[in-house]
Amino acid sequence: FFGLSSSWTLICLPCAFMAEARAGVPSNDAEEGLAARDREGPKSADVDSESESEGPSAGEEEDGGPPKKKSKGQKKHMVTLSSGKQVNAKKVRNHVNPLSSLYNRPVALPKELQDGGDWDRIYAKPLQPLIFDIGCAKGHYCLEGAKRWPHLNWLGLEIREPLVVRANLWREEHSLPNLRYLAGNASAGIGDLMKSLPKGVLKRVCIQCPDPCFKKRHQKRRMVTPSLLTELREHMPCGSVLYMQSDVEMVAQQMADDCVSVGGFERTEQTETGDLVTARDGVDESCPPHNSKPQTDGNTYNDARIGTGEWENKGAAAGADGTYQWLPRNPYDFQSEREASVLSKGAPMFRMMFMRKEQVSSS
C-alpha cells in the first residue's frame, strides 16, 4: 500500500504543477524570481545594445509563415512608416536603444524644409511662440496643449516613429494647425532642427520623465547629457526656459548637474511669462505624501538607484548642504500622462526650470 501511495504521489505532483501553470498560478521558483526582480528595481530597456530594430513587438510579422489576419482593433492602430512598412502603433516597445545604427543619427529636418521650404509650410502662424517637447512619447501632452492654447505652436520630438505617425494622424483628425510631431533621436543631435526655427520663437523646451536607464551598462543611453544640453544652450534664445522633470530623484539630480555644468543656464522659479512658481495651499509635490492618498505599492521609483550612484558633474546643482531644491508644483498646471499617474499614487515629482541667460564674454 505504501508503494502504491508513493507512486500516486509521484504522478500527481507533476500533474498538479502543470495544472497550476495552465491556470496561471506561479510556482515557488516563479514567485522567488518575481521577488528578486522587484528587489533589483525596474528594467530600463528590453532592447540589447546590438539590436537595430524593434522586431515583431513593434507590430511586424515574423518571417517564415503566412501573415496573421488582423482584427478590426489591430487595423485601427496600424500605421505606415516612412520606409513603407506597416506596424501596430500600440505594440511599440517602451524603450529602444538610441545608440543602435537604426536610431543613432541627428534629427533630420521636416520634409517640408528639406527642399528649402520654411516653417509656414508646417504651422499656420509660424511666428507664434513655440513649445518644444523632447521625448514626447505618445504625444498626448502636445495634443492637449495645442487644443488648450491655440496661440502657441507645439512641436513634439519622439525617437519611436510609429508613435509619431499615429500622433500626426490625431493632429489631422483634430485639425490643429499649431501642432507637429517629428521622429528623431535628440541625443544624437538636434542642432540642424533648432537652427531652422524662426528666430526668437522658441520659448520653452520640455524634457519630461526620460528613460531612467537604471542599469550601469545602460547609462550611456541616457537622453539628457552635456552634449544635448550644450546644443540647447547654443540655440535657445535668451529668456527662454528649459523645463525638466522626473519621478526618479537621481535622474533629476543628473539632469540638474549637467545643466549647471554646461553653463549658459540659470536656475529659476519663474516661467517664460514671468509667473512665480510657489507651493499651492502649502503642498510641495516633491515631498510625499503630497495629497490625501497614502503612497501606494505600485511602481514608484523616486528613490531608485541609478547605475553606481555616481556620475559626471555630480553635485554641481546641489546647495551648500548637498541637497537639491525642486519646484513645489507643476509651473504650468498642465500634466503629462506619466506625471499624472505618479501624482495619483501620492509619489513625488522632481521638477526644475532653467532660464537661458546671456553669456558674458571672457574677453
Side-chain angles (χ1 to χ4, degrees):
F1 179 80
F2 179 77
L4 180 62
S5 175
S6 300
S7 300
W8 275 106
T9 302
L10 290 173
I11 293 171
C12 293
L13 278 175
C15 292
F17 178 83
M18 291 172 65
E20 283 187 347
R22 285 195 298 269
V25 179
S27 66
N28 289 336
D29 290 342
E31 289 175 348
E32 290 175 5
L34 290 171
R37 185 185 67 182
D38 291 339
R39 287 194 298 272
E40 292 172 0
K43 304 300 183 184
S44 62
D46 295 326
V47 186
D48 294 333
S49 58
E50 294 82 10
S51 174
E52 296 189 2
S53 70
E54 294 180 356
S57 64
E60 301 170 15
E61 298 290 349
E62 295 270 17
D63 292 334
K68 298 178 181 179
K69 291 185 179 180
K70 297 180 178 64
S71 67
K72 290 183 179 179
Q74 286 179 313
K75 291 179 180 179
K76 177 181 177 182
H77 300 288
M78 296 301 292
V79 296
T80 304
L81 305 184
S82 56
S83 63
K85 184 179 296 183
Q86 284 199 329
V87 300
N88 189 327
K90 287 203 72 175
K91 294 186 177 181
V92 175
R93 292 181 185 271
N94 286 333
H95 307 293
V96 296
N97 180 7
L99 301 180
S100 72
S101 59
L102 181 65
Y103 301 107
N104 195 17
R105 58 175 69 94
V107 177
L109 293 177
K111 60 183 180 181
E112 293 90 342
L113 274 62
Q114 292 176 7
D115 61 353
D118 210 338
W119 282 87
D120 57 4
R121 294 185 179 182
I122 295 174
Y123 295 121
K125 298 179 180 179
L127 298 183
Q128 286 188 158
L130 177 67
I131 312 300
F132 185 19
D133 189 22
I134 300 178
C136 66
K138 296 177 183 178
H140 289 299
Y141 182 81
C142 289
L143 182 68
E144 296 305 317
K147 293 178 186 176
R148 189 180 300 189
W149 292 286
H151 65 282
L152 301 175
N153 286 335
W154 296 77
L155 178 63
L157 179 67
E158 170 57 39
I159 192 171
R160 294 164 293 175
E161 188 184 1
L163 300 184
V164 172
V165 175
R166 184 178 61 176
N168 275 319
L169 292 175
W170 291 341
R171 168 183 61 87
E172 294 173 3
E173 289 174 7
H174 291 278
S175 300
L176 294 169
N178 61 328
L179 174 61
R180 184 61 181 268
Y181 299 95
L182 299 176
N185 179 4
S187 59
I190 55 173
D192 290 342
L193 175 65
M194 297 194 72
K195 279 190 294 187
S196 72
L197 294 172
K199 187 175 181 180
V201 299
L202 183 60
K203 299 301 180 185
R204 186 196 319 160
V205 175
C206 304
I207 300 177
Q208 306 183 73
C209 301
D211 181 3
C213 299
F214 288 100
K215 294 181 180 178
K216 178 182 176 181
R217 65 189 178 94
H218 289 163
Q219 285 291 286
K220 58 189 177 182
R221 299 181 182 182
R222 289 191 305 120
M223 181 176 74
V224 181
T225 62
S227 175
L228 173 64
L229 292 167
T230 298
E231 281 198 295
L232 290 175
R233 181 195 67 193
E234 295 302 315
H235 300 289
M236 287 177 64
C238 291
S240 58
V241 164
L242 173 59
Y243 172 55
M244 299 187 289
Q245 65 173 342
S246 176
D247 58 317
V248 183
E249 186 168 24
M250 201 172 281
V251 171
Q253 291 171 347
Q254 288 180 347
M255 294 193 295
D257 288 339
D258 286 344
C259 197
V260 169
S261 69
V262 302
F265 291 100
E266 184 174 37
R267 198 77 176 259
T268 183
E269 294 182 352
Q270 286 188 321
T271 67
E272 64 275 14
T273 56
D275 296 327
L276 185 64
V277 183
T278 56
R280 182 172 291 134
D281 299 326
V283 176
D284 185 346
E285 292 181 348
S286 67
C287 301
H290 50 72
N291 59 20
S292 58
K293 280 188 176 182
Q295 189 164 340
T296 68
D297 294 329
N299 292 333
T300 54
Y301 307 131
N302 46 286
D303 58 352
R305 187 175 181 83
I306 306 300
T308 62
E310 298 294 326
W311 57 87
E312 187 182 5
N313 307 314
K314 186 174 183 178
D321 60 354
T323 62
Y324 291 76
Q325 299 299 312
W326 310 113
L327 296 175
R329 63 177 175 85
N330 186 310
Y332 303 102
D333 293 323
F334 182 52
Q335 299 174 355
S336 69
E337 286 180 282
R338 175 68 181 175
E339 179 184 4
S341 174
V342 169
L343 295 178
S344 71
K345 299 174 183 177
M349 287 297 300
F350 306 100
R351 308 180 179 100
M352 69 206 86
M353 286 194 302
F354 289 88
M355 185 167 287
R356 180 70 175 86
K357 63 180 182 180
E358 192 76 53
Q359 286 183 291
V360 180
S361 174
S362 58
S363 58

